[in-house]
Amino acid sequence: MALLAGAGSAPAYPLPPQTRIRLSVVQWNPARGDYARWDAVSGDYVVSANETILLPLIGTLETKGLDEAALATEIEARLKDKVGLVALPDARVEIADYPPFYVLGSVAQPGAFPFRPGIDALQAVAVAGGLYRAQGEAGASDEIGRLGDLRTMKDDILRMRGRLARLQAERAGAKDITFPAELTDGSGGPLADEIQAQERLIFTTRASGLERQLTTLDELKTLFAAEIDVLGQKGRALERALETMRRDLTNVERLVEQGVATAGRRSDLERAVSSLDAERLDQVTATMRARQSLNQATRDGLSLRDKRATDIASDLQSVQADIQRLQTRRDVVERLLLASALESRVGEAEGQAPTLRYIVVRKSADGTREIAADEATALQPGDVLKVDLVPPARGNGRGSGPVAQRAAPPREAPGARVEADLGGPTRPAPGRGTSAVAMSGTGGEASFTTGLPEARMAAGLAP
């Protein structure tokens, strides 16, 4: 008989393709008084696409419609007949891995997920990350996060503008930094003062560092020039001494020919001339080396200035790109907050919320079919769960009557938009600077306005 296959409270499922089962077969050995394991048959097997498994001794075994217990019973009967046993062996079938189930539609992370027995549609949605929320459907926590992001981006833009002003002053060789109005008009608060102080400190430190390096190079050039002058004077003195020594040698050679002076005297003069000549060549070499060092110091000064100019140009380009990127992100967040406020107020005016629709796509022996489901519907291995967000029907507010069309927000006049610079005034659209949405009611009209004043004030911005 089968050994507790599928025992427990977990539901039993038919074995669909891709299911990996673990088979264990044992037989009672009365002579030894214990169970003997059939290692030739025991092991892991995967159900094929045509719902069969291939087992040693048995061959191909069809699994269609069988669960673990039924499959174990079938294996026992096949082994008894195949081997010619008197009694049935004991077979145990366990599920090692179920095929995954799939979730798609209005969920945060659609895809394939490992199946576990007893999972229902609502749990599957939770495994898939919950419901997908569009830009205008963010919850309160998301709106708080966006307001924080908006504030952070405003501060980052102020810092970038301070850095941009400092780099522009460095490129122009100015003595001080000219900051933009948003940092000097008081709208930036203590942060603006802090940014100005930091950038002025960086400006002064960098200018002082460059000045020290250039001064050091100038002093080094002065030293090399003085060394060259001294070497020149010494060289000229050697030339005069060498000229005198050569005249003496000429006179001594004449006296040696006349027999008045000795040859030793001539040899001493020749050695003295050679020594002075070698010293003169050393002076020439030292002068050339000093000139080379002077030229190198001049090149170092030019390279220092060129590197500073290149670094400033590169930093300017990087800061300008960062400002553009932050402004784009800020505009997107402001529009998301505006859309979120609009959607939430429309939902409040309608008094209705969207509903979820669940559909299970399941393969069976008869083919693929779709099953209407709800949150408590149990899934099976290989199921595909489709989740759709069904918007509420817009009627007269009581669920009856003709469907009322939502009025689109009025178009902005040319040039009207959210203020490009955070902290500045918001440019109103035509009218009173608000967006109106009219809802059809029971003979009257419900209207409300929405915008970003609350959001901007919560973020510490100008209303």
Side-chain angles (χ1 to χ4, degrees):
M1 58 184 300
L3 291 176
L4 301 176
S9 59
Y13 303 100
L15 304 176
Q18 302 180 31
T19 302
R20 186 163 65 91
I21 65 171
R22 182 164 294 128
L23 173 62
S24 177
V25 180
V26 298
Q27 184 182 18
W28 174 254
N29 188 342
R32 298 176 55 184
D34 61 3
Y35 282 96
R37 176 182 170 85
W38 290 27
D39 292 329
V41 181
S42 301
D44 289 2
Y45 302 92
V46 178
V47 179
S48 65
N50 56 359
E51 297 185 83
T52 62
I53 57 174
L54 182 62
L55 299 176
L57 301 179
I58 296 176
T60 302
L61 179 61
E62 186 173 354
T63 62
K64 182 181 297 184
L66 300 180
D67 59 14
E68 300 99 298
L71 179 60
T73 301
E74 182 67 21
I75 291 174
E76 290 173 350
R78 292 287 189 95
L79 286 174
K80 179 178 179 296
D81 294 340
K82 189 72 174 179
V83 182
L85 300 175
V86 176
L88 289 172
D90 293 321
R92 179 185 179 90
V93 175
E94 297 176 332
I95 302 298
D97 285 311
Y98 285 104
F101 69 94
Y102 305 86
V103 183
L104 55 87
S106 300
V107 293
Q109 299 174 354
F113 303 93
F115 179 84
R116 59 177 178 81
I119 190 169
D120 57 29
L122 185 60
Q123 292 171 335
V125 171
V127 170
L131 296 179
Y132 171 77
R133 291 181 296 181
Q135 292 180 351
E137 299 172 349
S141 61
D142 291 334
E143 291 188 3
I144 293 173
R146 286 171 181 166
L147 288 172
D149 291 342
L150 201 62
R151 178 71 185 186
T152 301
M153 283 184 278
K154 177 218 173 185
D155 294 345
D156 289 344
I157 289 176
L158 279 179
R159 290 189 178 91
M160 288 296 175
R161 291 200 182 280
R163 186 180 181 191
L164 181 65
R166 188 249 303 166
L167 291 171
Q168 290 173 338
E170 289 179 340
R171 183 179 62 178
K175 298 298 182 180
D176 196 8
I177 306 174
T178 303
F179 289 102
E182 58 194 302
L183 285 168
T184 58
D185 60 6
S187 62
L191 178 62
D193 297 336
E194 180 184 350
I195 292 171
Q196 293 182 67
Q198 290 175 348
E199 294 300 334
R200 283 197 173 98
L201 178 61
I202 296 173
F203 179 80
T204 304
T205 302
R206 284 164 60 97
S208 298
L210 178 65
E211 185 64 28
R212 284 195 302 270
Q213 289 177 302
L214 293 176
T215 300
T216 301
L217 289 174
D218 288 340
E219 292 173 352
L220 189 60
K221 288 162 60 177
T222 302
L223 289 175
F224 285 135
E227 181 181 1
I228 292 171
D229 184 61
V230 170
L231 288 173
Q233 294 177 10
K234 188 175 181 180
R236 288 190 292 272
L238 285 174
E239 286 287 349
R240 289 193 297 269
L242 186 59
E243 183 65 25
T244 301
M245 193 67 67
R246 284 173 178 167
R247 286 198 302 268
D248 292 344
L249 179 60
T250 302
N251 294 332
V252 168
E253 284 177 347
R254 226 186 280 106
L255 292 174
V256 169
E257 290 176 357
Q258 295 174 3
V260 177
T262 64
R265 174 63 177 166
R266 182 178 62 186
S267 299
D268 290 341
L269 288 174
E270 287 176 348
R271 283 193 295 270
V273 169
S274 299
S275 178
L276 287 175
D277 195 32
E279 187 175 354
R280 182 185 64 83
L281 292 176
D282 290 341
Q283 293 299 319
V284 172
T285 303
T287 302
M288 293 175 61
R289 190 176 296 113
R291 291 185 183 280
Q292 184 179 8
S293 298
L294 177 62
N295 292 335
Q296 182 63 46
T298 303
R299 288 194 298 270
D300 288 344
L302 295 175
S303 298
L304 196 61
R305 290 186 175 89
D306 291 343
K307 184 178 184 302
R308 177 176 170 82
T310 301
D311 291 343
I312 291 174
S314 177
D315 290 344
L316 274 171
Q317 186 178 22
S318 177
V319 169
Q320 289 169 345
D322 288 342
I323 291 176
Q324 182 64 35
R325 183 163 49 251
L326 285 170
Q327 287 177 337
T328 302
R329 287 178 54 198
R330 179 206 56 201
D331 292 343
V332 170
V333 171
E334 285 188 339
R335 282 162 176 77
L336 288 176
L337 287 171
L338 185 61
S340 177
L342 178 62
E343 289 293 332
S344 62
R345 296 191 185 187
V346 168
E348 292 173 3
E350 293 173 347
Q352 294 179 335
T355 58
L356 290 178
R357 179 175 60 192
Y358 301 93
I359 297 176
V360 176
V361 180
R362 181 172 296 164
K363 290 184 178 180
S364 63
D366 301 328
T368 302
R369 60 194 178 100
E370 292 189 350
I371 304 171
D374 57 25
E375 295 178 350
T377 299
L379 300 182
Q380 294 187 9
D383 280 354
V384 178
L385 176 64
K386 296 196 294 187
V387 182
D388 295 325
L389 198 62
V390 181
R394 297 186 179 92
N396 57 5
R398 295 194 301 264
S400 62
V403 177
Q405 300 293 330
R406 180 188 299 182
R411 293 187 177 181
E412 294 181 339
R417 62 178 180 85
V418 177
E419 180 65 24
D421 292 328
L422 286 170
T426 303
R427 300 178 186 174
R432 294 175 301 170
T434 57
S435 301
V437 178
M439 304 298 300
S440 297
T442 58
E445 182 182 86
S447 64
F448 60 86
T449 60
T450 184
L452 273 181
E454 296 92 344
R456 295 180 66 87
M457 291 179 66
L461 311 178

